[in-house]
Amino acid sequence: MNLVERVGLFALHRVDPERAHRLALTAMKAGVVPLPGTFTSPRIACHVAGLDLANPVGLAAGYDKNAEVVDALTQAGFGFVEVGAITPRPQPGNPKPRMFRLSEDRAVINRFGFNNDGMDAAFARLTKRNRKTRVPVGLNLGANKDSADRAGDYVQVLERCGPVVDFVTVNVSSPNTEKLRDLQGAEALRALLSGVMDARQGMDKIIPVFLKIAPDLTEAEVAEIAQVAQEVKLDAIIATNTTLDREDLKSASQNEKGGLSGAPLFEKSTRTLARLAKLTGGHLPLVGVGGISSPEDAYAKIKAGAHAIQLYSALAYQGLSLVDDIARGLDRMLAADGHDHISTAIGTETENWL
């Protein structure tokens, strides 16, 4: 982390976290944030779920909810970027305050509730993005809080915005929209994903469809999801979203309602990832998310069964330079372990997490 980034983070941590995030996006729009470009090498360049990635380090949804700074993010070191979540209609989300720093725990709690400008605004912005970049851009699909047909909402956003992105993620795992996680049940999930996959087949451009799941699932529920994902021929699963767990936290805001992300989520999310890797036998691409704050954390996810990884909360504490640090660190650690390519490291320690 350079001095400019260190000073910037210090200043941002002096204000409300949601306002700080808004200021960070404004600075990125203004072009005052140093962007190193994307590090790659023959060892970490990979093909995941139909996407060619210069490196396996992605940005998780939630950072750029409304696709406002897509071009800047594709120059920030990521191998792929996911924006959103986006719902059919704009919605304000939950009342403020709704984001809390847990600095002692290197964590964040949020209860945003899918606040976003809606699919038409997202479509307009994504249409204008630089299509020459080699960094794939995906969209996290959400459902409106007051929707009478939440499964239909996912299809609506896919049909509207799918033509201007490289992949989409069905988000049924946010804890901040009431009863949304009920869609992770086998019967409801099968119906939802079947509808999304059918809609994709009717599009001019067939794009990969991912599913993002919660870490707060039983082993039986994870097994059901793995089975359904393979039945409908899903392209990848993202494991995981935020948790409702509050075990062993120290910070004053630990009991705030919402989803917990950051360092405390690492072990729980990685166990879910490893269970999926075991159940799918490495045949279904997996994206590891949750608590990654170093190259070592990212490598552990890869060895647990991830084909790629995503970051978000750690950026609030370590800045965007973390992205390049992780990509270069993965390259070094793979070489040190004798791997000529990341693919030979995937899942080598799955059993250690079960």
Side-chain angles (χ1 to χ4, degrees):
M1 188 188 304
N2 60 40
L3 180 60
V4 172
E5 190 171 41
R6 195 179 302 277
V7 170
L9 286 173
F10 179 83
L12 289 175
H13 278 232
R14 307 278 75 76
V15 300
D16 169 79
E18 185 170 354
R19 184 183 175 209
H21 186 70
R22 187 72 246 165
L23 290 170
L25 292 179
T26 300
M28 198 169 287
K29 279 183 183 180
V32 298
V33 178
L35 302 173
T38 304
F39 172 76
T40 190
S41 76
R43 191 173 283 106
I44 61 172
C46 50
H47 186 78
V48 178
L51 304 173
D52 289 317
L53 309 180
N55 69 53
V57 185
L59 175 65
Y63 186 90
D64 187 10
K65 284 180 174 290
N66 289 303
E68 297 176 82
V69 291
V70 176
D71 286 344
L73 289 171
T74 60
Q75 297 300 312
F78 296 105
F80 62 110
V81 168
E82 185 177 345
V83 301
I86 294 294
T87 56
R89 290 174 284 107
Q91 61 182 25
N94 294 321
K96 298 178 182 180
R98 54 193 180 181
M99 186 178 189
F100 307 88
R101 289 189 202 94
L102 281 70
S103 298
E104 291 180 74
D105 302 294
R106 308 293 279 182
V108 174
I109 290 175
N110 91 81
R111 51 172 181 258
F112 283 119
F114 283 172
N115 58 308
N116 74 102
D117 295 341
M119 65 182 183
D120 290 336
F123 174 81
R125 292 170 184 145
L126 288 163
T127 299
K128 297 175 183 177
R129 72 182 176 94
N130 179 10
R131 305 302 287 273
K132 294 180 181 179
T133 176
R134 62 180 299 187
V135 178
V137 173
L139 180 67
N140 192 281
L141 312 179
N144 281 116
K145 182 178 181 179
D146 60 353
S147 175
D149 179 14
R150 286 183 173 173
D153 281 12
Y154 293 96
V155 171
Q156 280 191 61
V157 182
L158 168 63
E159 291 179 335
R160 178 63 168 141
C161 298
V164 292
V165 294
D166 302 304
F167 68 96
V168 294
T169 297
V170 177
N171 185 352
V172 292
S173 52
S174 170
N176 301 316
T177 296
E178 187 178 358
K179 296 185 178 179
L180 185 74
R181 287 190 172 189
D182 292 351
L183 293 173
Q184 292 177 118
E187 186 176 341
L189 185 63
R190 186 178 289 107
L192 168 60
L193 292 178
S194 295
V196 169
M197 299 302 276
D198 287 346
R200 180 186 72 163
Q201 290 305 116
M203 296 170 58
D204 292 336
K205 182 180 74 168
I206 305 299
I207 58 175
V209 175
F210 296 7
L211 171 70
K212 190 168 188 176
I213 68 170
D216 306 317
L217 297 165
T218 65
E219 291 188 35
E221 288 168 334
V222 173
E224 286 183 341
I225 288 172
Q227 181 178 342
V228 170
Q230 292 174 99
E231 282 178 12
V232 302
K233 295 181 170 52
L234 201 69
D235 294 287
I237 296 178
I238 300 177
T240 66
N241 211 318
T242 57
T243 181
L244 295 172
D245 200 347
R246 295 293 188 271
E247 189 176 354
D248 297 328
L249 299 178
K250 302 173 184 176
S251 302
S253 298
Q254 62 180 279
N255 293 319
E256 291 289 346
K257 292 182 179 179
L260 173 74
S261 58
L265 181 56
F266 180 79
E267 290 196 12
K268 189 170 193 176
S269 63
T270 308
R271 282 196 297 272
T272 301
L273 169 70
R275 288 185 188 122
L276 282 171
K278 178 76 170 180
L279 290 162
T280 59
H283 300 301
L284 180 65
L286 304 175
V287 180
V289 194
I292 299 172
S293 59
S294 68
E296 289 77 15
D297 291 341
Y299 194 28
K301 295 276 190 186
I302 299 295
K303 291 187 288 186
H307 294 69
I309 60 100
Q310 286 180 319
L311 313 172
Y312 180 4
S313 296
L315 301 177
Y317 294 100
Q318 295 171 255
L320 282 171
S321 62
L322 177 64
V323 183
D324 191 67
D325 289 345
I326 289 178
R328 293 178 186 274
L330 278 174
D331 189 57
R332 288 193 303 271
M333 288 185 290
L334 286 164
D337 283 351
H339 295 288
D340 292 329
H341 190 257
I342 190 173
S343 58
T344 61
I346 296 169
T348 54
E349 295 184 3
T350 297
E351 294 291 338
N352 294 354
W353 289 93
L354 300 177

